[in-house]
Structures are given as structure tokens and as C-alpha cells.
Amino acid sequence: MTKKHATSPSMRWWIASACAALPLLAHATQGVTKTEVLVGTIQDLSGPIANFGKETLNGMNMRIEEANAAGGAGGRKIKLIVEDSSYDTKKAVLAAQKLVQNDKIFITVGNIGTSLALTTMPIFTNAGVIHAFPLASARGLYDPPTPLAFSFTVPYYQQGKVIVKALTQMKADRKWCSLTQDDDLGSELMKGVEAQAAEMKLKVIEKTSYKRGATDFSSQVARLKSAGCDTVVLGTTLRETIGTISEAKKSGFAPEFIGTSASYSHLVPKLGGPTMDGFLSSHASSQPYADDASKALRDWFAAYKTKYNEDPGQYAVMGYASMDWVIKTLDKVGPDLTTDRFVQTMETSTFPRDKLGFDTMSFAKTKRLGSEAVRISKIVNGKWVPVTDYMQP
């Protein structure tokens, strides 16, 4: 006969208490404690767009420090965990896995790079981590609607459509050409350009591309010049934009160059000098200046410069704004923070135009992109000057 072991009253109490706690442990939200919420971000801090990554991180940290100094967001302090991708997809994947599996973050915010964000987004969402406001422009980041994904940067597809529409309104007779990065940035942009061109019965007469990280654009510029292009759409980032336009000027080739939000930065005229005057870009946020007409924006500019000893650029604005929208949502949710409550709150949120100049952002169950509108600006005497208001694609 098997001997039965008696269970003491104290042991029975411990077992009952542990079992009662199991449902609470099972429903605990990753990255959330009573006092803290863990936020992750993947930036390029050592690669070809490190200047943009640094700006983005500065903007995010500025807003987090403001919130934490005021008591946090929804009663919790925000802790930001930063990973460097070097603008390399393999490194970005490893960074995403670390943030999910080791750091166990609640939400990832402002991840930079279109191809990188498209590749890593499933790592986050499949693990139940919210993927919020990547600094990346592709339809795949919000379409089809994904419960845990929210975007604000207008995809290059829509930007391409607005570029063709806006420039054709300015001057109808153009010889359209393109030079694009050989990845999702370039392909998405050209799909939009070609869709709008077909709709308006226009044609892109010459298309060239380059591998990410390229530094020599002489052969591409020679092809564009030989084709007689007078309007060149650039799917380029900072360094490649400056390199292409500088090469064109050296060879006596002077078409109208227009880029996207990937090249809309105060660093383009700062690093490229007067050669960049006349360059156009589409964008959904505004480059701030110390003498802006808005006092609120002037004050924000001054606070950023005091903190970081440099002028803020567009990416600083995007970093600050993306974190601001997250903080406002956390405040709305309050102490009872769960992934579901955050998502449901974001789905009913609208963020009006503010001092940073974004178009109104609004979200819903079937609307994961805040706004599709972009505008066009031109570099004039070293400053970005808007030449259109916000336009729908």
C-alpha cells in the first residue's frame, strides 16, 4: 500500500496562494511594472545615416526626459533601450530579437530605415510587442492593417504620386528620370511615380539605381545627362543626395532634382553648401528654424539647441513627435496599462497639427497610417522653404 503524505496547513495555504496568483502572472504585460514602462528603439548610430539616427534619438530622449520630469506617462517612468543597426538589416534583426527576448520591451518606437523596419516588424508583432511610428516609408508597415502596428511617415509610394502631381502643376512639359537606392526605398517610390505618370499620360525616360552605401555616382549621372533629363526624382538618403547633385554640377548637368522625406534634412544644405540650392523634397514634417514665425516652434528649437548644442533637424522633430504621441496615449490609458488598452486607445486617437508642423494624425481599427498628405519644399539660400501646402496623393 502506498503511503500518503499529509500536507501541513501552512503548505496548503502557500499552494492556494500560488495558484491564485497564476492568472495574474499569465496576464502580466511584458515591459510594464507599477513604476516603469520599457520602450525600445533601433537606430543607425554608426552607419551611413548615423546623423539621422542621432537626431532621432535626441528628439526621443528630449520628450522622454520632459515626461519623466513631470512624473512619467500614465504614472510610470519611461526607460528607453537603444540598439544600433548600423543601417544593416542583419544587425537590425538581431537587435529586434534582443529587445523582444532579452529586454522584454512593451513597445518599440521610431525604428529607422524602410527595409530594416519591414524586416523586423514581424519579430515585434508576432511577439505581442507594439510597433509604433517607424521612421520608414512603406505601405507594408500599415497595409493590411495590423493590430499592433501604427505608422505616421507617408510611404514613398504616396510621395512619388505627389511629386509627379505637384511638379506637373508647376510645369507640364518635363523629361522625367530617376536615380534610386536599390531597395524598398527606391522601389516603393518608383511605383508611386510610375502610377501617377501613367494616370497623367507621362513617361519616365531614364531610370538608374545604386547599391546602398555607394559613394560614386558618376556613371548614373552620365546616363541621366545623356538621356537629356530635365527632372530627376531621387530615391536617396543624405550622403547619396549630396554626392549625386555635386557630381551633376561638376559635369555641367543641371536638371531639377527632387527627393523624398529621406533627403529632407537641414544637413543637406549644411553639408552640401550652395550647390544644394534649388533642390526639392517631399516631406510630411517641417524643418524647424530659430527664426520660425511660430513662437512655440522657436522655443522648442531653442530648448533642443541648449540641450544638445546643435540645431535640430527633421529627424529630431520626428523622434520627438513619435514619442510624444506614445506618451499622450500612455497618459490616456492611465495606470491600468495593457497592450490591448494601449491599442484600443490609439485606435480612437486624433493628434491635431501642432508646433512641429505635422498634418493632423488620426487612427482607427482599419486606419493605421496617421495621414497620407505631404508637401514640397525647396532649398533657398541654405534653408528649406515650402512651395506647396499639404497635398493628398
Side-chain angles (χ1 to χ4, degrees), residues 53-63 304 308 310 316:
K54 177 186 173 185
E55 273 190 23
T56 303
L57 190 56
N58 285 349
M60 294 175 75
N61 278 323
M62 183 175 174
R63 184 64 187 95
Y304 182 97
Y308 297 111
E310 64 183 30

Side-chain angles (χ1 to χ4, degrees), residues 113-130:
T114 298
S115 294
L116 280 62
L118 284 168
T119 302
T120 58
M121 185 176 80
I123 296 173
F124 293 107
T125 56
N126 289 342
V129 174
I130 300 162

Side-chain angles (χ1 to χ4, degrees), residues 136-138 152-159 261 284 369 371-374 393:
S137 301
F152 80 103
T153 51
V154 180
Y156 297 119
Y157 178 85
Q158 285 93 322
Q159 291 188 51
S261 55
L369 176 65
S371 171
E372 285 191 317
V374 296

Side-chain angles (χ1 to χ4, degrees), residues 19 40 57 138 148 150 166 172 175 200 242 253 274 276 306 343 390:
C19 290
L57 190 56
L148 297 180
F150 298 91
K175 294 181 179 178
M200 301 178 76
I242 295 171
F253 179 46
M276 299 300 114
T306 297
V343 169
Y390 280 106

Side-chain angles (χ1 to χ4, degrees), residues 25-184:
L25 292 172
H27 289 87
T29 300
Q30 175 173 300
V32 176
T33 68
K34 287 184 178 180
T35 59
E36 188 176 68
V37 56
L38 298 183
V39 178
T41 189
I42 302 174
Q43 300 297 324
D44 177 8
L45 302 177
S46 59
I49 59 169
N51 284 322
F52 293 162
K54 177 186 173 185
E55 273 190 23
T56 303
L57 190 56
N58 285 349
M60 294 175 75
N61 278 323
M62 183 175 174
R63 184 64 187 95
I64 289 171
E65 289 174 19
E66 291 172 356
N68 284 347
R76 293 177 176 85
K77 296 295 180 70
I78 298 170
K79 180 180 178 182
L80 182 65
I81 301 172
V82 183
E83 293 295 325
D84 178 14
S85 71
S86 302
Y87 203 48
D88 178 271
T89 303
K90 291 180 181 178
K91 289 184 179 179
V93 167
L94 293 174
Q97 291 170 339
K98 174 183 176 293
L99 289 170
V100 168
Q101 297 169 9
N102 296 355
D103 300 311
K104 299 188 181 302
I105 60 170
F106 170 70
I107 185 172
T108 184
V109 182
N111 296 343
I112 198 166
T114 298
S115 294
L116 280 62
L118 284 168
T119 302
T120 58
M121 185 176 80
I123 296 173
F124 293 107
T125 56
N126 289 342
V129 174
I130 300 162
H131 190 262
F133 310 128
L135 273 63
S137 301
R139 289 172 290 172
L141 294 168
Y142 69 89
D143 186 21
T146 301
L148 297 180
F150 298 91
S151 291
F152 80 103
T153 51
V154 180
Y156 297 119
Y157 178 85
Q158 285 93 322
Q159 291 188 51
K161 287 178 67 68
V162 171
I163 283 171
V164 174
K165 184 186 297 185
L167 265 64
T168 301
Q169 289 176 2
M170 296 175 193
K171 178 189 169 187
D173 185 20
R174 293 176 179 272
K175 294 181 179 178
W176 289 91
C177 299
S178 66
L179 170 58
T180 59
Q181 192 162 277
D182 187 14
D183 63 5
D184 291 300

